[in-house]
Amino acid sequence: MDLNILQVSIGQWAAATFPHHTADSIFAHLEEEVSELKDALGANDPDKIGENVADVLILLVTLAEFLDIPSKDAVIAKMAINRKRTWDYDPTTGYHRHVECEEAPYD
């Protein structure tokens, strides 16, 4: 199934099931689920990891649909940017960050 079609389906379900949700409430729920995912990763619990990855994705596409942002198009556009970036490992955080390009000074 196409991501945009899945997004619309999940968004319609969420709107019917949670008629009072707002962008802020969806985001707050997303933060809660990300925290649960982190705990599941720490516990190395594959079933809980899978459930929480699904919850995070569902809430992300719910938020995108609520805000009328086509997820598939947004991801494709952002990946085009990411593919052009230079990435560097940050040993402090343990993950990679893109290297900020300094702008050329004005003449």
Side-chain angles (χ1 to χ4, degrees), residues 3 6-7 10 13 26-41 47-65 71:
L3 179 56
L6 180 62
Q7 174 180 316
I10 290 171
W13 169 82
I26 297 166
F27 190 80
H29 193 176
L30 177 60
E31 289 179 309
E32 197 175 286
E33 292 298 338
V34 168
S35 179
E36 289 180 18
L37 175 56
K38 183 177 180 182
D39 291 344
L41 286 166
D47 291 336
K48 288 291 182 187
I49 292 168
E51 288 176 21
N52 285 290
V53 165
D55 285 337
V56 167
L57 288 170
I58 289 165
L59 285 162
L60 281 173
V61 297
T62 299
L63 183 60
E65 183 65 14
S71 294

Side-chain angles (χ1 to χ4, degrees), residues 1-3 5 8 12 14 21-22 25 29 35 45 51 54 56 59 61-62 76 78-80 89-91 95 104 107:
M1 177 183 290
D2 179 83
L3 179 56
I5 293 170
V8 169
Q12 289 172 343
H21 72 192
T22 64
S25 70
H29 193 176
S35 179
D45 184 338
E51 288 176 21
V56 167
L59 285 162
V61 297
T62 299
I76 290 168
K78 182 61 178 179
M79 283 305 301
Y89 178 70
D90 182 346
Y95 54 87
D107 292 327

